[in-house]
Short mmCIF file of all heavy atoms in Angstrom, two decimals:
data_model
loop_
_atom_site.label_atom_id
_atom_site.label_comp_id
_atom_site.label_asym_id
_atom_site.label_seq_id
_atom_site.Cartn_x
_atom_site.Cartn_y
_atom_site.Cartn_z
N VAL R 1 287.39 190.24 7.65
CA VAL R 1 286.20 189.97 6.85
C VAL R 1 285.04 190.80 7.40
O VAL R 1 284.74 190.74 8.59
CB VAL R 1 285.84 188.46 6.89
CG1 VAL R 1 284.60 188.17 6.07
CG2 VAL R 1 287.01 187.62 6.39
N PRO R 2 284.37 191.58 6.55
CA PRO R 2 283.25 192.39 7.04
C PRO R 2 282.08 191.52 7.50
O PRO R 2 281.85 190.44 6.96
CB PRO R 2 282.87 193.24 5.84
CG PRO R 2 283.39 192.52 4.65
CD PRO R 2 284.59 191.75 5.11
N VAL R 3 281.37 192.02 8.49
CA VAL R 3 280.22 191.31 9.06
C VAL R 3 278.96 192.11 8.75
O VAL R 3 278.94 193.33 8.90
CB VAL R 3 280.37 191.15 10.59
CG1 VAL R 3 279.14 190.49 11.19
CG2 VAL R 3 281.62 190.35 10.91
N PHE R 4 277.91 191.41 8.33
CA PHE R 4 276.62 192.03 8.05
C PHE R 4 275.56 191.33 8.89
O PHE R 4 275.61 190.13 9.11
CB PHE R 4 276.28 191.92 6.57
CG PHE R 4 277.23 192.68 5.70
CD1 PHE R 4 278.41 192.10 5.26
CD2 PHE R 4 276.97 193.99 5.35
CE1 PHE R 4 279.31 192.80 4.49
CE2 PHE R 4 277.86 194.71 4.57
CZ PHE R 4 279.04 194.12 4.14
N GLU R 5 274.58 192.10 9.32
CA GLU R 5 273.52 191.59 10.19
C GLU R 5 272.17 191.75 9.50
O GLU R 5 271.92 192.78 8.87
CB GLU R 5 273.53 192.40 11.48
CG GLU R 5 272.33 192.15 12.35
CD GLU R 5 272.20 193.22 13.42
OE1 GLU R 5 272.81 194.30 13.28
OE2 GLU R 5 271.46 192.98 14.36
N TYR R 6 271.32 190.74 9.64
CA TYR R 6 269.99 190.78 9.05
C TYR R 6 268.95 190.33 10.08
O TYR R 6 269.17 189.37 10.81
CB TYR R 6 269.93 189.88 7.80
CG TYR R 6 270.90 190.36 6.76
CD1 TYR R 6 272.18 189.83 6.67
CD2 TYR R 6 270.56 191.41 5.91
CE1 TYR R 6 273.09 190.31 5.74
CE2 TYR R 6 271.46 191.91 4.99
CZ TYR R 6 272.73 191.35 4.91
OH TYR R 6 273.63 191.84 4.01
N ALA R 7 267.85 191.05 10.10
CA ALA R 7 266.75 190.72 11.01
C ALA R 7 266.18 189.35 10.65
O ALA R 7 266.11 188.99 9.47
CB ALA R 7 265.65 191.78 10.92
N PRO R 8 265.76 188.57 11.65
CA PRO R 8 265.21 187.24 11.39
C PRO R 8 264.07 187.25 10.36
O PRO R 8 264.02 186.37 9.49
CB PRO R 8 264.72 186.77 12.76
CG PRO R 8 265.60 187.50 13.72
CD PRO R 8 265.85 188.85 13.09
N ALA R 9 263.18 188.23 10.43
CA ALA R 9 262.06 188.29 9.47
C ALA R 9 262.57 188.52 8.05
O ALA R 9 262.03 187.96 7.09
CB ALA R 9 261.07 189.38 9.87
N MET R 10 263.61 189.34 7.89
CA MET R 10 264.19 189.60 6.57
C MET R 10 264.82 188.31 6.01
O MET R 10 264.69 188.02 4.82
CB MET R 10 265.24 190.70 6.64
CG MET R 10 265.82 191.04 5.27
SD MET R 10 267.16 192.25 5.35
CE MET R 10 266.29 193.69 5.91
N VAL R 11 265.48 187.56 6.87
CA VAL R 11 266.11 186.30 6.45
C VAL R 11 265.04 185.33 5.96
O VAL R 11 265.18 184.72 4.90
CB VAL R 11 266.92 185.67 7.61
CG1 VAL R 11 267.38 184.27 7.27
CG2 VAL R 11 268.10 186.56 7.98
N LYS R 12 263.94 185.23 6.69
CA LYS R 12 262.86 184.32 6.30
C LYS R 12 262.24 184.74 4.97
O LYS R 12 261.97 183.89 4.11
CB LYS R 12 261.81 184.25 7.40
CG LYS R 12 262.32 183.53 8.64
CD LYS R 12 261.32 183.57 9.77
CE LYS R 12 261.89 182.89 11.00
NZ LYS R 12 260.95 182.93 12.11
N ARG R 13 262.04 186.02 4.78
CA ARG R 13 261.48 186.49 3.51
C ARG R 13 262.43 186.24 2.34
O ARG R 13 262.01 185.95 1.22
CB ARG R 13 261.13 187.98 3.59
CG ARG R 13 259.86 188.25 4.39
CD ARG R 13 259.39 189.69 4.24
NE ARG R 13 260.39 190.67 4.61
CZ ARG R 13 260.55 191.17 5.84
NH1 ARG R 13 259.77 190.77 6.81
NH2 ARG R 13 261.49 192.06 6.08
N ALA R 14 263.74 186.32 2.59
CA ALA R 14 264.73 186.11 1.53
C ALA R 14 264.70 184.71 0.96
O ALA R 14 265.05 184.49 -0.19
CB ALA R 14 266.13 186.42 2.06
N VAL R 15 264.26 183.74 1.77
CA VAL R 15 264.19 182.36 1.27
C VAL R 15 262.76 181.98 0.88
O VAL R 15 262.48 180.83 0.58
CB VAL R 15 264.77 181.34 2.28
CG1 VAL R 15 266.26 181.57 2.47
CG2 VAL R 15 264.02 181.35 3.60
N GLY R 16 261.86 182.97 0.91
CA GLY R 16 260.51 182.72 0.41
C GLY R 16 259.49 182.29 1.43
O GLY R 16 258.43 181.78 1.08
N THR R 17 259.79 182.48 2.71
CA THR R 17 258.80 182.18 3.74
C THR R 17 258.38 183.50 4.38
O THR R 17 259.03 184.51 4.21
CB THR R 17 259.36 181.24 4.83
OG1 THR R 17 260.43 181.90 5.50
CG2 THR R 17 259.84 179.93 4.24
N GLY R 18 257.30 183.47 5.12
CA GLY R 18 256.85 184.68 5.81
C GLY R 18 257.75 184.99 6.99
O GLY R 18 258.49 184.13 7.47
N GLY R 19 257.68 186.21 7.46
CA GLY R 19 258.50 186.65 8.58
C GLY R 19 258.26 185.91 9.87
O GLY R 19 259.12 185.85 10.73
N ALA R 20 257.10 185.28 10.01
CA ALA R 20 256.79 184.53 11.23
C ALA R 20 256.83 183.03 11.00
O ALA R 20 256.31 182.25 11.78
CB ALA R 20 255.41 184.94 11.75
N ALA R 21 257.46 182.58 9.92
CA ALA R 21 257.49 181.16 9.56
C ALA R 21 258.23 180.33 10.61
O ALA R 21 259.18 180.78 11.23
CB ALA R 21 258.17 180.98 8.20
N ALA R 22 257.78 179.10 10.75
CA ALA R 22 258.42 178.15 11.67
C ALA R 22 259.73 177.66 11.07
O ALA R 22 259.95 177.74 9.86
CB ALA R 22 257.48 176.97 11.92
N LYS R 23 260.59 177.11 11.94
CA LYS R 23 261.89 176.60 11.49
C LYS R 23 261.74 175.55 10.40
O LYS R 23 262.56 175.48 9.49
CB LYS R 23 262.67 176.02 12.67
CG LYS R 23 263.28 177.09 13.55
CD LYS R 23 264.31 176.48 14.47
CE LYS R 23 265.07 177.53 15.23
NZ LYS R 23 266.05 178.22 14.41
N GLU R 24 260.72 174.73 10.49
CA GLU R 24 260.50 173.67 9.49
C GLU R 24 260.24 174.27 8.11
O GLU R 24 260.70 173.76 7.10
CB GLU R 24 259.34 172.76 9.89
CG GLU R 24 259.57 171.98 11.17
CD GLU R 24 259.37 172.79 12.45
OE1 GLU R 24 258.68 173.86 12.42
OE2 GLU R 24 259.94 172.39 13.48
#
């Protein structure tokens, strides 16, 4: 299965939060 990596800030933006958003 291929593996893909995403930067934490990109992950947060993908769900609609800012790159520095808290876990909550």
Side-chain angles (χ1 to χ4, degrees):
V1 179
V3 176
F4 295 86
E5 169 195 18
Y6 299 94
M10 183 185 294
V11 171
K12 290 175 182 179
R13 285 191 303 271
V15 295
T17 63
K23 284 194 172 285
E24 296 78 20

